[in-house]
Amino acid sequence: MTENGVTARGSDVANEAQVTIGEGRAGQLAASLRALTERIDAACRAAGRSPDEVRLLPVTKFHPASDIEILYGLGLREFGESREQEASDKVAQLRHLSRVRWEFIGRLQRNKAKSVARWANTVYSVDSDRLASTLDAGAKAALEAGERDTPLRVLLQVSLDADPARGGAYEAELLTLADRVAAAESLQLGGLMAIPPLDADPDAAFERLARLHGSLLTAHPQATELSAGMSNDLEAAIRHGSTCVRVGTALMGARPITSA
């Protein structure tokens, strides 16, 4: 991965780590990263895309800060978290890792938005005007306090199943929400993200998502990120244009702590 976190290429660092890292958790993560990078590369080749077009975002929620330190040593710089308190604790513990970029990927309650706006590079789950407004205010306060030096990048979460329990803006609301975010003083519109409906054909879901992203790009050409695909369906997502796959289990293994 490049130092600025723009693209995650793990093969070189993982291959080098094979020489220097032995048994234990570090060895497990190095081997998993190597296998995952090979899988992403193969999916890109099969789709006729360059591997440099697809970014790996490790999903480190429920895993200890020590795992992030290991992955940082393997060259990764971006990490996805989804629980505000857990993430804030890790941010505090890992301040010595100066190039880390934290990305908040879970559903975000408005009362937690100001905290997240202080440390997140990107929030992936913006699905309402109210949440966008709260994040804008939080990012503005953080900028004024010197807690961040760039606008907060956000992705719009689009609902592919109209299930309010799973989050996401409805298709008919998407462009209006995009306009709202693009006009916000302290936000930057990055693109779209989605999670396929339960038990759905991932190819059909990601094909629809790609069409929605195309419509968004017509109105907002800068919104180039399309975050789709996880451990079980990243190949389908890459076939349909994903630029960022969010991978937890295939890289990190089973959760070592409960979600309670």
Side-chain angles (χ1 to χ4, degrees):
M1 176 181 284
T2 58
E3 286 296 296
N4 63 8
V6 171
T7 182
R9 298 266 31 95
S11 55
D12 292 341
V13 292
N15 287 335
E16 181 178 349
Q18 186 177 24
V19 177
T20 59
I21 295 177
E23 299 296 327
R25 183 59 172 162
Q28 293 172 0
L29 289 174
S32 294
L33 176 59
R34 189 163 51 248
L36 179 58
T37 301
E38 291 171 356
R39 184 180 164 193
I40 293 171
D41 288 354
C44 288
R45 289 193 299 270
R49 302 177 62 192
S50 166
D52 290 336
E53 297 176 21
V54 180
R55 182 167 61 95
L56 166 63
L57 178 64
V59 177
T60 50
K61 63 179 181 179
F62 305 123
H63 292 271
S66 57
D67 279 359
I68 295 174
E69 287 201 89
I70 293 169
L71 292 172
Y72 189 93
L74 292 171
L76 301 183
R77 296 292 180 263
E78 299 168 331
F79 302 96
E81 294 284 333
S82 66
R83 301 193 306 174
E84 182 273 330
Q85 185 60 60
E86 178 189 347
S88 294
D89 289 346
K90 289 177 181 176
V91 170
Q93 291 179 58
L94 298 174
R95 292 192 186 280
H96 59 288
L97 303 182
S98 61
R99 297 181 184 272
V100 164
R101 287 158 49 107
W102 298 102
E103 310 212 352
F104 192 87
I105 62 174
R107 295 193 71 183
L108 180 59
Q109 297 174 345
R110 289 174 59 232
N111 64 348
K112 304 291 182 65
K114 284 191 175 182
S115 172
V116 170
R118 287 199 294 267
W119 50 258
N121 173 267
T122 303
V123 172
Y124 278 60
S125 49
V126 174
D127 59 2
S128 71
D129 183 80
R130 294 179 71 196
L131 178 56
S133 296
T134 303
L135 285 169
D136 186 29
K140 181 180 180 180
L143 286 163
E144 292 174 347
E147 295 173 311
R148 61 181 307 121
D149 55 13
T150 60
L152 175 62
R153 181 172 175 265
V154 303
L155 303 187
L156 306 184
Q157 181 178 355
V158 57
S159 173
L160 297 177
D161 56 9
D163 181 354
R166 303 186 73 219
Y170 294 164
E171 179 177 343
E173 306 167 340
L174 201 57
L175 290 182
T176 299
L177 181 58
D179 292 342
R180 164 70 183 88
V181 169
E185 179 181 357
S186 301
L187 301 180
Q188 176 191 350
L189 178 61
L192 287 187
M193 71 83 73
I195 302 170
L198 298 172
D199 301 321
D201 174 11
D203 275 294
F206 292 138
E207 182 179 13
R208 180 184 172 203
L209 179 62
R211 290 199 304 270
L212 293 174
H213 189 226
S215 297
L216 177 67
L217 286 171
T218 299
H220 298 281
Q222 80 281 11
T224 55
E225 186 87 285
L226 181 61
S227 179
M230 296 181 284
S231 292
N232 293 330
D233 55 17
L234 65 86
E235 286 84 2
I238 289 172
R239 277 196 295 274
H240 294 286
S242 175
T243 63
C244 171
V245 292
R246 310 179 303 273
V247 180
T249 303
L251 175 62
M252 309 301 298
R255 296 172 180 174
I257 60 178
T258 68
S259 58

